Amino acid sequence: MNKRTVIIIVALVSLVCIAVGANFYFMYYLNAEEIPLSSTRALENVIRSKIRHLKPSYLNRNPRFFMYRNKLLKNYKPAAYENASVLWDIANWWPHENEIYPQYDSSMGQLLQTLRLEPITKVYNLARGTQLKLLMRLANQQKIIFKPQWYPRDIVIDGPVYGGKDRHVAEVYAFYLGAVLDFRSTPIVVGRIVNLKRDIYERGDNELQNTMTITPEENGTEQYCLFGKCHYCNEEETVCGDEKNNIEGVLIYIIPGQLSKKRSPWQRTYKDDKRAPWEDDMNYCKALKGKMETIRLLDLIDVAIFDYLIQNGDRHHYETREERVVLIDNGKAFGNPNKDHLDILAPLYQCCLLRATTWERLQVFSGGVLTELIDRLSKHDALYPLITDKHKRGVERRLLVVYAVVEYCLDREGEKMLKNL
């Protein structure tokens, strides 16, 4: 056997070894759900493979979508109203456990209009929490929360997923997302343009006025700015209006009833050099299943899916109403459209539990229609468009990831992971 033949044989053997090795490598990740995963990174590899092999039904429009779309568009269409007080009596009667409003009700379109149009009569600082917000009273005596705009729509928040100040439009988007996915545990929210002088300063009490600045301009006008009162509020960071002192903000319905605050089992440490136990322990949920009722776990998994779609990684605590989880304080969403923090989905991929109704509903909005429908529902909002096209693509991209994670769990646990609770 000459030297040339030996070289050829060695080369062929090497190619065969590489092919076999690559095949084993691919099959390992394709079937990694059959063995315990040791890290989030290993899971990410599995999910990437799952996304590449998603069923066509996840990529195409679901025929059932059109029925849901038509009902929702009719339900949230703006409607004229005569008596705002009656509408708020209806709204305050709606909540049951963590369902803040009914799936369909002819009063919803009118109620949204009251939030958009009713005059603001009194304004106060709302000091609780870390973010700037105000307590407002409307002409019909209904109290609501106001959050102002800090950032333009297209800003990209770098750094950790919980970084930056609240994004006001995220609260409105969360309301419509909850309505579409039947997570009706978000407060009712609308966008509104308010005037810092007429609506805030002149309607504010002395304490509020003392947390505002008035600066004379060269053209003889005055610029009004607000820094408010909260944990992080200070005079160096103010929100100011345009040349007419107008500013964007959101009006948030205050959920009636007693809310209880609880620490999330998936809370972050908020320290760069320290990780929480759940971030490294893929079996973290096993202990939780023995300590927490299944219905509470299912609520938190619904929350995780909701938060992942909008990239809200700041739910360090959660609130309950009548022992059911409600989705309030959604302002930390839509920070960076180019990043998908998979660990927000930890409750889903660690517990591998999901409500059957949630899974059914998620599949209705496949094929890119989720953001399309929310866009149409929010078209009458004063802040439309709520988010940029990049953020819309991010939501649709993450929905595919949710499908892939559920497929991973179905491979691991079978249909028993789907619960009717």
Side-chain angles (χ1 to χ4, degrees), residues 351-378:
C351 298
C352 276
L353 291 174
L354 185 62
R355 281 194 173 90
T357 51
T358 297
W359 181 225
E360 180 182 354
R361 189 79 170 191
L362 286 168
Q363 293 176 83
V364 169
F365 299 100
S366 59
V369 300
L370 179 59
T371 54
E372 174 189 304
L373 178 55
I374 294 174
D375 193 70
R376 290 187 64 179
L377 287 171
S378 62

Side-chain angles (χ1 to χ4, degrees), residues 156-354:
V156 174
I157 307 296
D158 292 318
V161 66
Y162 50 81
K165 298 183 182 298
D166 279 357
R167 276 71 78 178
H168 65 308
V169 289
E171 297 283 3
V172 188
Y173 202 92
F175 164 59
Y176 285 110
L177 178 63
V180 170
L181 295 182
D182 206 24
F183 294 162
R184 289 174 286 111
S185 53
T186 65
I188 300 166
V189 186
V190 301
R192 184 161 168 172
I193 308 297
V194 301
N195 188 274
L196 280 170
K197 179 183 178 182
R198 294 191 306 272
D199 296 324
I200 306 295
Y201 186 83
E202 293 179 1
R203 300 285 186 269
D205 63 2
N206 289 336
E207 183 190 56
L208 173 63
Q209 291 177 349
N210 289 334
T211 61
M212 296 185 70
T213 62
I214 306 173
T215 306
E217 299 286 342
E218 292 182 358
N219 60 4
T221 62
E222 294 175 320
Q223 183 186 48
Y224 285 73
C225 298
L226 168 70
F227 58 89
K229 189 175 182 181
C230 67
H231 183 73
Y232 291 127
C233 292
N234 63 84
E235 296 183 41
E236 304 301 318
E237 296 180 293
T238 60
V239 289
C240 304
D242 59 18
E243 66 277 1
K244 296 181 180 179
N245 286 310
N246 290 327
I247 188 172
E248 287 188 6
V250 294
L251 272 60
I252 304 172
Y253 165 70
I254 298 176
I255 299 171
Q258 183 68 38
L259 299 183
S260 299
K261 191 172 187 177
K262 295 176 173 60
R263 187 183 301 275
S264 170
W266 285 275
Q267 184 185 43
R268 300 174 187 276
T269 65
Y270 294 86
K271 297 177 181 178
D272 293 337
D273 59 347
K274 185 178 181 181
R275 291 170 63 83
W278 65 267
E279 293 182 275
D280 296 314
D281 183 4
M282 290 296 288
N283 296 313
Y284 179 77
C285 192
K286 285 185 178 179
L288 283 179
K289 287 180 178 179
K291 299 176 183 177
M292 188 176 287
E293 290 186 12
T294 302
I295 194 168
R296 175 64 57 81
L297 266 179
L298 290 169
D299 278 354
L300 292 176
I301 290 166
D302 282 351
V303 170
I305 292 171
F306 181 89
D307 282 342
Y308 179 71
L309 291 174
I310 60 178
Q311 288 294 283
N312 176 16
D314 193 40
R315 206 172 293 279
H316 42 81
H317 288 77
Y318 63 91
E319 283 78 16
T320 61
R321 185 183 186 278
E322 297 179 18
E323 295 302 315
R324 296 295 305 281
V325 179
V326 290
L327 281 160
I328 65 173
D329 201 6
N330 302 299
K332 283 295 184 73
F334 299 116
N336 189 334
N338 306 311
K339 285 191 176 181
D340 303 336
H341 295 268
L342 183 65
D343 62 359
I344 299 175
L345 276 180
L348 174 60
Y349 62 68
Q350 289 178 351
C351 298
C352 276
L353 291 174
L354 185 62

